[in-house]
Amino acid sequence: MKPFGLLAGSSVIAAMTIAMPALAEEANESDRQGQHSRPDREIIVTAHPLSLTSDETATPVISLEGDDLVHRAQSTLGDTLAGMPGINVDNFGGGAGRPVIRGQTSPRVQSLSDGSNIQDASAISPDHAVTTEPLLLSGIEVLRGPSALIYGGSAIGGAVNLLDEKVPTNLPEGGITGAVEGRYGTSDNEQTGVGGITASIGQFALRLEGVRRQTDDYEVPGKFGEAQVDGSWADTSTITVGGSWISDNGYVGLAYTRQHNDYGLPGHNHAYEDCHPHGGEIHCGTHDEEDDHEHDHEEEGHEDAVFTKLRSERVDFRGEYRDISRVIERVRFRAAFTDYSHSEIEEGDVATTFTNKAHDMRFELTHARLGGLRGTFGVQHSHTNFKAIGEEQFLPPSKTDNTALFLMESFNAGPLRFELAARHEWQTIKINDGRKTTHRPFSVSGAAIWDIDGDYSVALSIARSQRAPNVQELFANTGAPWRGIHLATNTWEIGTPTLGKETGKSVDLTVRKTAGDTTFTLGLYHQDYDNYIFAQTLDQFEDFRLIRYMAGDARFTGIDGDIRHQVTPNVGLAVFGDYVRAKLKDGGGNLPRIPAGRLGGRVDGVFGPLYGDVELYQVFEQGRIASFETRTSGYTMINATLAYSFDIGERANAELFLRGTNLANELAYNHASFIKDAAPLRGRSLLIGLRAGF
C-alpha cells in the first residue's frame, strides 16, 4: 500500500467537500444529485441509434444509473454488473473482471465508451482488465438483439455501453457542478477517493475528474483454507480532462484519459512453465505417458510478486448535432485513439509485455421520417497494432483492420413498430511473418414490437449474426517463437488458422409491463450457432490445461427477467432470475464455463431521506459441465444497502451509505471463472461511503 498517495488524494477530496456549501449557492436545484432512481422513469438508451427508451427496444436493455450505480459500483466492470438479470462476471481476483451476458463473454461481448470501442487487451484473456473506471461512470447500458448488432461481430453476444461525463454535452446550471466521494471497504481494506467538476465559460465547458483506489487482498470464508485470496489486491488511479463547445443543437469536444492500474494475479503458477504439448496431450516436467498423469508434481504456489502493471492513455473526440435539416435529424461522430500497455511483473522483473496501439472511428447519420421510415446509417473503422513480448508471448505481433457499414430502419404501423438492421464488415489480420486472413461477416436482424394499450408490450426479434475469429483464436502457438504457454490462466493455447466465420441465428421474445403498481420484463431467447469458436480442453495435468480453439455447432437457450410490485408508495418488492443452457449440438457435450441459474428477491423502501434494500438470491449448482471441468456448488448471496441523504447547502446535498455484500459469509465459487478454485468470490464485506454533489 502507498498511504501517502492516497492521503494526498483524500486531502484534495476533503478540500473540495469543505468548499462545497459555498459553491452550492451557484448551483441549480434541478441538478441535485443523490435522488434515488424511480423504477417507472423513462430511460433513454443512448447506444440505440434511434434513442429509444428502455421500454421500446426490441430486446431487454438493462440500465444502471444514479444511486443504484453508486451503491453497486466496484473496482471492475464485471463485478459492478454481476447480479443483474442475465449478467454474470468472469472474475480474476480483485483487479480484473469481465461481464458475462447470457453465458457469453469476450470476444462476443463488446465494451463501448459512449458508442466507441474500448481498445485494450481484455478480449485476449480474463486476467487483462477492462480499461474503465466504474466510479467515474454516469450510467451503464447492456444491450442485446438488433441494437447490439450494429456494433459488430464482437457484440454478437451483447454490448455494454459505458456512459461518462468526460466530454460535457450540456452547459452546467449556474456555471459549475460537481461531485466528490470517499469510500472504505472492510473485506479488502479499500480506500478510495473520487472527484469530478464541470465548469463553463460562455459556450465552452471544461471537465476534470479522477479516482484513486487502493485495496489489499480480499478476505474469504475460513472454509477456503486461507484468510484471503493471495494476489487479489489492486492499486489504481485514473484522471481525465476534457472540454467541449456546446450550442443549442449539439456539441463537439475532446477528452484525454490516463489510467494506471497495478493488480495481483491469483493462481499464477510457475510450477507449470515446463509443460508442453505432444499432439493432443500435455507433458509437464519429467511426466511421461506411462504414469497416466499421476506424477507428483511439486507446486511452487502463487507469489505475491506476480502482478500486472497496466498503463493506458486514450483521447476521445466526440461530436453531435441535431435538427440539421428537414431530412437530417442528427449526425454523431466518435473517434478514439488508444496507447495501451501492460507488463506482467515477476519477482521485480518484466516477464511479458502486451501493447496495443489502436484507433476507432464511427460516424452515424439519422434521417427524419421518409415515407414512414426513420433510421440511422453509419460507417465505422478500427485499427489495432497488438504485440506480446516476453516469456508468455503466445500470440504473434498482429495488425487488425475492420471497416463496416451499418443501417437500422424503423417503421410505425399503429400499435406495431418494425425494425430492420444490417451490418457488413471487412476484417483483415496480418501477422509479422507475412500470413494474412480476411473475413467478411454480414449480420441482419428484424424485429416487431407490439404496444398493447400503453401498459404492455410484446417484442419478437430474429437475427442472423456473423463474427470473424480474432488473432488469438487463429494464431496462438502457430509458429516460433510464439509458444502457447499462458500461466495466468494455467493453459497452453493453440489456435487454428483455418477458422472461418461464426454464424449465429437467434430468436428473442420479450414481454413487458411498464405501467401500474406491477411491472415486469421477461426475456426468452434461443441462439443457434454454426462454427461456434470455443476453447476446447484436450488434456489436463493437475490445474494446467491444454486447449485448442476449435469450431463446432452450438445452441444457447435461456430465460431472464424480473417482476416488481409497488406494495405501498414507499415499499417495493421484486423477484428476478436467469438461466441459460449452452451445449454443442449432435452430442458434442456442454460448453465450458457457463454460469449456473439464479433466482432471487429484493425489497426496497424510501422513507423521506432514508433508503434501504435487502436482496437475497440463490445461485444453483452447475452440474452440466464440459470435459475436464468440475462441478460448482451453489450458494446463497445476501446483500443490503442503507443510505441517508441530507442537504449541505441551498442547492447541494450529500449521501452517507452503507453497502453489505455476502452478509452470510458464504464460500462461493464462480463457475464462469478460469481460476474459480484459486479465487472464490469475496466473503462478507461492508462498504461505507460519503458523497456530495452540487
Side-chain angles (χ1 to χ4, degrees):
M1 299 290 290
K2 303 178 180 64
F4 178 78
L6 186 59
L7 179 62
S10 300
S11 299
V12 174
I13 298 292
M16 294 179 68
T17 304
I18 293 172
M20 193 85 55
L23 293 170
E25 299 299 323
E26 302 298 326
N28 187 283
E29 182 71 20
S30 63
D31 280 338
R32 292 185 60 184
Q33 301 182 32
Q35 303 302 311
H36 293 277
S37 57
R38 293 172 51 86
D40 59 347
R41 184 174 63 83
E42 285 192 344
I43 299 174
I44 301 298
V45 181
T46 61
H48 194 287
L50 301 181
S51 297
L52 301 178
T53 69
S54 57
D55 294 332
E56 296 174 323
T57 57
T59 53
V61 174
I62 294 177
S63 295
L64 188 61
E65 60 174 16
D67 291 334
D68 292 336
L69 175 56
V70 171
H71 299 157
R72 290 180 175 271
Q74 297 191 49
S75 57
T76 73
L77 178 61
D79 287 319
T80 298
L81 291 171
M84 309 293 285
I87 307 177
N88 291 268
V89 58
D90 178 5
N91 66 298
F92 210 97
R98 307 181 300 189
V100 179
I101 300 177
R102 291 181 167 179
Q104 307 209 54
T105 186
S106 292
R108 295 179 184 85
V109 171
Q110 178 70 43
S111 295
L112 308 167
S113 177
D114 197 20
S116 179
N117 288 338
I118 294 181
Q119 294 172 311
D120 47 28
S122 60
I124 297 297
S125 176
D127 67 302
H128 300 172
V130 180
T131 52
T132 187
E133 176 48 69
L135 292 177
L136 291 178
L137 299 177
S138 58
I140 303 176
E141 302 167 342
V142 183
L143 296 84
R144 296 177 291 271
S147 54
L149 177 147
I150 64 168
Y151 290 102
S154 295
I156 197 170
V160 180
N161 191 39
L162 310 175
L163 306 178
D164 55 57
E165 301 177 82
K166 63 174 65 175
V167 175
T169 58
N170 295 288
L171 295 172
E173 293 286 346
I176 187 169
T177 60
V180 293
E181 180 181 334
R183 50 172 64 194
Y184 173 78
T186 61
S187 171
D188 53 7
N189 192 32
E190 176 184 348
Q191 301 173 64
T192 301
V194 189
I197 189 169
T198 304
S200 64
I201 301 176
Q203 291 183 275
F204 182 77
L206 179 67
R207 175 71 177 178
L208 178 64
E209 61 186 24
V211 169
R212 182 77 169 92
R213 180 198 302 108
Q214 291 178 325
T215 65
D216 295 332
D217 292 339
Y218 65 73
E219 297 176 349
V220 289
K223 294 179 181 179
F224 178 60
E226 301 287 343
Q228 65 277 320
V229 173
D230 292 338
S232 59
W233 59 272
D235 184 347
T236 182
S237 62
T238 303
I239 187 169
T240 294
V241 58
S244 57
W245 183 86
I246 301 170
S247 70
D248 292 338
N249 293 335
Y251 67 92
V252 59
L254 192 70
Y256 167 78
T257 301
R258 185 186 68 193
Q259 182 176 98
H260 289 271
N261 188 4
D262 296 350
Y263 58 91
L265 295 176
H268 196 284
N269 197 330
H270 277 272
Y272 305 118
E273 62 185 354
D274 292 329
C275 293
H276 54 279
H278 280 300
E281 294 184 346
I282 191 73
H283 287 235
C284 296
T286 59
H287 170 67
D288 56 33
E289 295 180 359
E290 283 73 28
D291 62 18
D292 196 25
H293 290 196
E294 294 296 328
H295 177 68
D296 184 17
H297 190 92
E298 180 183 355
E299 295 187 10
E300 298 177 9
H302 171 72
E303 295 186 19
D304 291 339
V306 181
F307 68 96
T308 289
K309 193 175 188 66
L310 183 155
R311 176 192 61 82
S312 175
E313 295 183 87
R314 177 181 171 109
V315 175
D316 284 276
F317 177 52
R318 301 174 183 172
E320 179 176 326
Y321 275 87
R322 302 172 295 272
D323 302 324
I324 296 175
S325 70
R326 296 179 60 183
V327 176
I328 302 175
E329 187 175 291
R330 184 184 68 177
V331 295
R332 184 164 69 166
F333 178 74
R334 298 287 185 268
F337 303 86
T338 303
D339 185 358
Y340 169 94
S341 71
H342 86 249
S343 298
E344 294 178 1
I345 311 297
E346 301 176 11
E347 299 181 350
D349 297 324
V350 176
T352 310
T353 297
F354 297 86
T355 65
N356 190 16
K357 297 183 184 295
H359 64 256
D360 178 62
M361 293 178 286
R362 182 183 181 93
F363 176 82
E364 297 178 5
L365 185 151
T366 300
H367 65 80
R369 295 200 179 278
L370 298 173
L373 290 174
R374 177 174 175 260
T376 297
F377 167 80
V379 59
Q380 182 174 5
H381 175 76
S382 62
H383 170 82
T384 64
N385 185 353
F386 180 84
K387 295 180 181 179
I389 303 170
E391 295 179 2
E392 297 180 38
Q393 54 183 46
F394 61 98
L395 297 176
S398 63
K399 295 181 180 180
T400 302
D401 285 279
N402 186 293
T403 302
L405 297 175
F406 57 89
L407 173 70
M408 171 176 274
E409 293 290 340
S410 177
F411 177 80
N412 288 353
L416 288 173
R417 182 170 58 83
F418 299 94
E419 283 185 7
L420 179 66
R423 177 178 170 114
H424 189 58
E425 300 180 49
W426 294 263
Q427 176 176 293
T428 300
I429 299 177
K430 298 178 181 179
I431 61 175
N432 66 349
D433 64 0
R435 285 181 288 175
K436 180 177 75 171
T437 64
T438 300
H439 296 89
R440 297 183 178 182
F442 177 74
S443 301
V444 62
S445 68
I449 301 95
W450 180 24
D451 184 3
I452 307 172
D453 298 329
D455 291 347
Y456 296 86
S457 68
V458 178
L460 178 67
S461 67
I462 301 174
R464 178 186 180 275
S465 306
Q466 289 188 321
R467 181 182 75 89
N470 62 23
V471 63
Q472 181 179 14
E473 296 163 332
L474 291 167
F475 296 117
N477 189 51
T478 56
W482 307 298
R483 301 169 65 239
I485 193 165
H486 193 192
L487 294 178
T489 54
N490 287 331
T491 56
W492 185 290
E493 303 185 16
I494 302 175
T496 302
T498 57
L499 288 174
K501 293 177 292 188
E502 178 182 282
T503 301
K505 290 162 285 192
S506 62
V507 178
D508 288 78
L509 177 67
T510 303
V511 183
R512 297 185 180 98
K513 184 176 185 295
T514 59
D517 290 335
T518 301
T519 57
F520 59 80
T521 299
L522 180 65
L524 299 95
Y525 56 93
H526 178 80
Q527 301 164 343
D528 211 48
Y529 286 92
D530 296 330
N531 297 319
Y532 184 84
I533 302 169
F534 68 103
Q536 183 182 49
T537 300
L538 304 178
D539 194 15
Q540 181 169 341
F541 174 72
E542 297 178 350
D543 292 328
F544 193 84
R545 288 164 293 163
L546 173 65
I547 64 173
R548 179 189 292 275
Y549 291 100
M550 305 180 69
D553 297 340
R555 181 179 293 120
F556 286 70
T557 304
I559 181 173
D560 51 40
D562 64 282
I563 178 171
R564 175 185 170 84
H565 180 68
Q566 195 69 32
V567 181
T568 73
N570 303 99
V571 178
L573 295 173
V575 177
F576 57 90
D578 53 53
Y579 173 79
V580 58
R581 180 77 174 97
K583 61 181 180 179
L584 295 168
K585 293 190 288 186
D586 300 325
N590 300 307
L591 285 167
R593 293 176 296 282
I594 300 301
R598 297 178 295 189
L599 182 64
R602 180 186 302 110
V603 57
D604 60 76
V606 180
F607 303 93
L610 190 65
Y611 168 83
D613 67 50
V614 178
E615 67 178 13
L616 181 151
Y617 61 87
Q618 176 68 36
V619 177
F620 300 103
E621 180 186 49
Q622 181 55 287
R624 290 173 168 169
I625 56 178
S627 299
F628 298 96
E629 279 191 326
T630 58
R631 302 171 73 93
T632 303
S633 300
Y635 57 88
T636 301
M637 190 64 64
I638 303 175
N639 305 322
T641 306
L642 184 64
Y644 179 75
S645 300
F646 54 95
D647 292 332
I648 57 175
E650 183 179 350
R651 281 184 282 259
N653 63 86
E655 182 188 65
L656 179 66
F657 65 92
L658 179 67
R659 171 78 171 170
T661 55
N662 196 4
L663 294 176
N665 203 32
E666 286 260 327
L667 179 59
Y669 293 98
N670 177 18
H671 191 77
S673 173
F674 260 91
I675 57 167
K676 70 165 186 174
D677 295 322
L681 302 179
R682 69 183 64 220
R684 182 186 297 113
S685 179
L686 297 177
L687 176 71
I688 184 170
L690 175 64
R691 65 180 176 127
F694 63 95

